[in-house]
């Protein structure tokens, strides 16, 4: 059990290093922003909240073999596939691939709470990551102008 825990910790550390090395792209080109605006639930949000969510998001370029998240992990971000392909794996159903051109790629790659699977980049990918709080119309942080003093 300790070996498994250490392996997961090592994989998380490698993933965080890859994300740091890749660096967040602070601004998006027009094609990337158009793709992000098509993602569910971003496209369903009010315009002001959608724009704020996009502004709080980051795009990462990740090479094949990079761990995006592991089964059992919990994080505060939702991840979306913009380009490339990823592989889901779990102990019961095996593995399956998702390419950015598939309709399911418009949905988040992960769910709130503990993850049921491990997600690994199979073909160099670009991932959009946004704090999950910005995706819930009822739970999004209020813009500073709307906070009562």
């Amino acid at each position: 059990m300790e070996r498994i825990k250490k392996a997961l910790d090592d994989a998380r550390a490698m993933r965080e290093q890859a994300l740091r090395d890749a660096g967040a792209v602070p601004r998006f080109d027009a094609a990337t922003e158009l793709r992000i605006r098509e993602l569910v639930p971003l496209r369903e949000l009010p315009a002001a909240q959608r724009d704020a969510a996009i502004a709080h998001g980051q795009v990462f370029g990740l090479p094949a073999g990079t761990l995006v998240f592991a089964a059992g992990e919990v994080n505060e971000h939702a991840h979306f596939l913009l380009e490339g392909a990823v592989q889901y794996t779990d102990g019961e159903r095996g593995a399956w691939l998702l390419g950015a051109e598939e309709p399911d790629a418009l949905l988040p790659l992960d769910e709130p709470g503990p993850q049921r699977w491990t997600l690994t980049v199979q073909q160099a990918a670009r991932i959009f990551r946004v704090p999950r709080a910005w995706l819930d119309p009822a739970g999004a942080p209020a813009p500073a102008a709307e906070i009562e003093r």
Side-chain angles (χ1 to χ4, degrees), residues 11-103:
R12 283 186 194 108
M14 287 175 32
R15 179 195 62 220
E16 289 302 317
Q17 185 62 44
L19 292 176
R20 281 191 298 276
D21 291 347
V25 177
R27 297 187 182 152
F28 313 120
D29 60 55
T32 299
E33 186 163 343
L34 181 61
R35 170 70 175 177
I36 291 170
R37 289 178 178 281
E38 294 173 349
L39 300 171
V40 177
L42 283 163
R43 69 179 181 202
E44 299 163 352
L45 295 174
Q49 185 179 349
R50 181 179 52 244
D51 292 344
I54 291 170
H56 284 85
Q58 299 171 305
V59 173
F60 295 98
L62 300 174
T66 302
L67 177 72
V68 179
F69 54 81
E73 275 189 14
V74 178
N75 67 62
E76 299 173 0
H77 293 88
H79 297 82
F80 297 88
L81 182 62
L82 301 177
E83 295 175 5
V86 293
Q87 180 176 344
Y88 289 92
T89 55
D90 71 14
E92 297 174 10
R93 292 182 275 179
W96 64 101
L97 292 173
L98 176 67
E101 70 285 349
E102 297 179 42

Side-chain angles (χ1 to χ4, degrees), residues 1 4 15 48 94 104 109 111 129 131 139:
M1 189 59 121
I4 293 171
R15 179 195 62 220
D104 283 345
L109 296 170
E111 302 174 332
R129 179 173 85 165

